[in-house]
Amino acid sequence: MKTSLFLSLSLFIFLAGCSPENPDYYIRRDLEQEAPPKEHPKVKQEEDSPAPVYPEPEVPKFPPLPEPKKMQKEEIKWIQIMADPNQLELNPKVDILFIEDNSGSMKEVQANLAKNINRFASAFQQKIDFRVAVLSVWDSSAKFVNNPKRKYDIGELRRVREANGAQSEKRFLTRSMATPAALSATINIGIASSTEAMPEFEEIFSTLEASIKRPENLNPNTGFFRPDARLVVIMVSDAEDSTSKITPEQLAQDLVDFKGGQAKMVSAYGVLVRKGDNDLYKDFDLKRHPNYHPECFDMTNPKNPVRLPNLCKEGFGPERLDQFIVAANSGEGTPEMIKSKFILKLVQPDFGKDLAQIGSSISEKTMEKEILLDQRPRAYPNQPDRAMVKVFFGNVEIPENDGWAYDPEDNSVRLSGKINYSKYSQDPKARFRVELVPVTLDAGL
């Protein structure tokens, strides 16, 4: 009985507690709701605990690199080059050989040449050591060769004349001997008379070739040709060369060979007629002879060819002589440039002016000089195209803008022929001196 009563009372209390009217009911309901999720232990750990410290990875240890060597800027040190003594001498020597046509048509030309020759010589710089000699043309025909009145052999220099016109035994004029009067008298060889050995078929090449090949012990030319002098040939003629078996190119090469293979030591000029000149001023053979231009003649009668005026209207010129001049000056430009510079018109009113121009050209080329360097120079730091080179004449430096330049191709100093050395030194024994800063492996660092 007691037990039943206890159970009934317990049930009542339980139900009363679960009734909505009971204020504790909601509390209990809240307690029965699903609890919010707990924080992740890692997040909590990150907030509450310090971040883990991981050990640094081990890096392999290598021996320390050597410190780069400090290159000190090279000291600028000028040195004097050691060159062949001959290179350091001015040595302006030139041997000038006139080859003159003394046939009958050259009388007026000879007189004009003699009258103006002093303008030619006065164009030479004071320091130039020149010599002048004369050859007359040759003729291989028996009539000329066997003439007992012939005075000179092939390639033999003519005797010079004194200022008073008297003939000398000397074969050339030196600068000290070449007074205006003596030079004029020597150049004016005149023409050969019909009773003497007068050339009819003028050979210029053969006599020039013979002059450089005559045996020394039999040669009256001894002493004229100097090994260290420039050789200048000046041909004066109103004719064409009639030499057989010698080509213009062969003769030019023979002259170069005669000067030891140095083409720059040879020059050739001509005082010649031109194609356009009136035939009255040309040699008979040049204007009429069919051997030169048979296409311009009526050859119906070979013994008496007739020039046809409607053919070859430009006329004839000394083509072989032109070719020789071009070949002998081959380094001076195109053929037309060479002809305009190295050929003087024989027929012109102002003969002396052009002779002076030839003299100036010879003077300039004679004064040109090249000095080979034994070491290669450095360039100026702020001027990579300019070599560190200085040139002196005597004890005075020649400014670079006065006419010299460094040639990197040949590693040489080239001096212009226009430099007036007299303003640097009056000493006749003055020599060149060249200083430079040589290139080294560390240059410019």
Side-chain angles (χ1 to χ4, degrees), residues 69-119:
K69 184 179 179 181
K70 293 182 179 179
M71 303 296 294
Q72 295 187 1
K73 190 174 182 179
E74 186 184 18
E75 180 183 358
I76 302 297
K77 182 179 289 187
W78 292 84
I79 65 170
Q80 183 175 336
I81 70 160
M82 303 299 293
D84 182 344
N86 292 330
Q87 285 197 73
L88 301 179
E89 295 178 358
L90 184 55
N91 189 33
K93 298 179 183 177
V94 57
D95 300 331
I96 304 169
L97 180 60
F98 283 86
I99 306 175
E100 297 185 35
D101 182 352
N102 61 334
S103 62
S105 59
M106 289 289 291
K107 183 176 182 179
E108 292 184 8
V109 174
Q110 291 283 351
N112 203 11
L113 181 66
K115 177 183 175 181
N116 291 280
I117 194 63
N118 190 49
R119 297 181 67 177

Side-chain angles (χ1 to χ4, degrees), residues 160-174:
V160 304
R161 293 187 178 275
E162 307 289 353
N164 59 5
Q167 185 171 272
S168 168
E169 290 302 311
K170 296 182 177 65
R171 300 295 177 133
F172 57 88
L173 292 172
T174 63

Side-chain angles (χ1 to χ4, degrees), residues 112-152:
N112 203 11
L113 181 66
K115 177 183 175 181
N116 291 280
I117 194 63
N118 190 49
R119 297 181 67 177
F120 165 83
S122 62
F124 287 88
Q125 281 201 37
Q126 182 180 357
K127 289 183 176 293
I128 291 183
D129 175 10
F130 67 80
R131 293 182 176 181
V132 176
V134 179
L135 282 174
S136 48
V137 298
W138 184 254
D139 184 344
S140 293
S141 65
K143 179 180 178 182
F144 179 88
V145 173
N146 298 326
N147 192 313
K149 293 186 178 181
R150 180 173 55 82
K151 298 177 180 178
Y152 296 97

